[in-house]
Amino acid sequence: MTALENIVNEIAAEMRLRTDRGEVASYIPELAGVHPSAFGLVVIDAEGKVAAAGDCDTPFSIQSISKIFTLTLALGKAGDRLWKRVGREPSGSAFNSIVQLEYERGVPRNPFINAGAIAVTDLILSGHQPREAIGEILRFVQFVADDSTIAIDEAVAASEQRTGFRNTALANYMKSFGVIDNPVHYTLGVYFHHCAIAMSCRQLAMAGRYLAHGGINPATGYSVIQAERARRINAVMLTCGHYDGSGEFAYRVGLPGKSGVGGGIYAVAPGKASIAVWSPGLDANGNSRLGRVALEILAKRTGWSIFGGDRPSA
Ligand code: GLN
């Protein structure tokens, strides 16, 4: 067993014993039934070696983690024009907050809060039918993960479509400022579907490799995006990826990361590893509670925090 496999196994064993798991998201009814004791962790290093433990092959709803992939696609389409529609500053408020939008005249703070992600989705949708845009996003995720079996959980998408009143409010509000170009229900349909992509930790860690390695898929050498763009997406993940918990995540873990209310977190150790963790119970900010704890231990034991400080302890 490699030193990294050892660390990953020990973290999974430790997380199994913890009882402070937080609450599974219930505002999307279809997510409420997920078992809180699930835990998965996968780390893929720069040589492509995979260290995996726990429920690492069980698909879960990636939810807001999908916003990394839509941001990548939208930047590819619009380049820096994207930043006219959406900012890149931490929000300091909840992921579905409405109040900030009024102060800022319908321009969302960043692409990872719901309003910002809906604006990004709208940009991807322009010039296409919703079905085509959903297909484009799914195919991109399948491509970067090198896995054509990745699919959308239609029951989750339908569940959110039925109950997504807040997201509907956010989208309508932005529409009133001209920030949304397409019919609101089209944009939201695409948004709910990409949030409902189901992936395992292993698939997610595979999919994000380009962010850990300067825009390049290290297995094929194929350039997915420019290095500068990967660096910037990582910067936005670090500052905004955990909503109002982003400061705490940087303080404790020290890696760019993006959470989702399905309990997943995708994290990057730049130049070193692509990491996915899943534990469905959430903290008050809607971020995976044990997912964060697991990443904190991982970063400490590997010495991977981008802020330095810890010596690796194998
Ligand atoms: N689909 C979810 C929503 O719009 C995504 C939120 C999240 O994962 N933080 O509410």
Side-chain angles (χ1 to χ4, degrees):
M1 194 183 290
T2 65
L4 187 59
E5 281 172 330
N6 201 23
I7 293 173
V8 165
N9 282 331
E10 281 179 16
I11 293 172
E14 194 178 328
M15 292 305 114
R16 282 247 174 271
L17 302 175
R18 303 259 310 223
T19 51
D20 52 333
R21 293 178 173 274
E23 298 291 319
V24 172
S26 56
Y27 78 100
I28 302 174
E30 195 66 24
L31 295 183
V34 177
H35 209 283
S37 67
F39 180 87
L41 175 61
V42 172
V43 181
I44 304 179
D45 72 10
E47 284 78 53
K49 285 204 277 313
V50 180
D55 303 308
C56 52
D57 290 307
T58 308
F60 60 90
S61 193
I62 68 167
Q63 291 296 319
S64 287
I65 302 173
S66 63
K67 297 170 183 176
I68 311 171
F69 305 115
T70 50
L71 176 61
T72 304
L73 276 176
L75 282 169
K77 271 197 160 175
D80 284 343
R81 257 192 316 122
L82 176 81
W83 302 117
K84 290 204 168 68
R85 293 244 203 151
V86 55
R88 46 174 191 263
E89 290 294 339
S91 66
S93 45
F95 64 83
N96 54 6
S97 168
I98 290 180
V99 67
Q100 210 163 43
L101 265 186
E102 180 161 23
Y103 287 121
E104 298 180 352
R105 303 197 56 77
V107 178
R109 267 290 170 99
N110 67 63
F112 291 152
I113 52 172
N114 284 11
I118 292 166
V120 165
T121 300
D122 185 67
L123 202 142
I124 296 172
L125 171 60
S126 286
H128 300 282
Q129 292 300 315
R131 221 175 341 105
E132 295 166 351
I134 294 167
E136 184 186 353
I137 297 166
L138 182 62
R139 278 192 302 278
F140 177 70
V141 171
Q142 292 173 335
F143 166 67
V144 285
D146 192 19
D147 189 335
S148 59
T149 67
I150 294 168
I152 289 169
D153 185 330
E154 289 293 341
V156 172
S159 179
E160 194 169 3
Q161 195 116 36
R162 272 196 306 276
T163 56
F165 305 113
R166 253 195 209 230
N167 285 324
T168 306
L170 290 167
N172 275 308
Y173 199 69
M174 288 189 286
K175 181 91 177 161
S176 76
F177 285 100
V179 172
I180 299 290
D181 290 336
N182 297 284
V184 161
H185 65 289
Y186 279 17
T187 302
L188 286 172
V190 179
Y191 172 79
F192 293 143
H193 277 81
H194 72 64
C195 286
I197 294 173
M199 291 168 84
S200 66
C201 287
R202 192 186 301 271
Q203 290 168 326
L204 201 49
M206 287 288 282
R209 288 168 301 172
Y210 69 99
L211 292 170
H213 301 289
I216 290 171
N217 175 338
T220 59
Y222 188 90
S223 169
V224 179
I225 50 171
Q226 289 170 1
E228 178 186 63
R229 197 155 275 165
R231 171 169 61 77
R232 288 176 163 169
I233 294 171
N234 289 341
V236 182
M237 276 208 280
L238 182 79
T239 52
C240 311
H242 283 73
Y243 317 110
D244 206 13
S246 299
E248 187 71 5
F249 190 81
Y251 178 83
R252 291 188 176 275
V253 180
L255 298 173
K258 181 74 208 83
S259 66
V261 289
I265 302 177
Y266 174 73
V268 165
K272 299 194 172 75
S274 177
I275 305 160
V277 63
W278 174 49
S279 172
L282 307 179
D283 64 19
N285 288 318
N287 302 317
S288 173
R289 183 158 177 174
L290 289 193
R292 200 263 292 141
V293 173
L295 291 174
E296 183 175 355
I297 300 170
L298 179 72
K300 195 170 171 56
R301 292 199 52 187
T302 54
W304 281 345
S305 164
I306 62 170
F307 303 109
D310 294 301
R311 292 242 177 83
S313 69

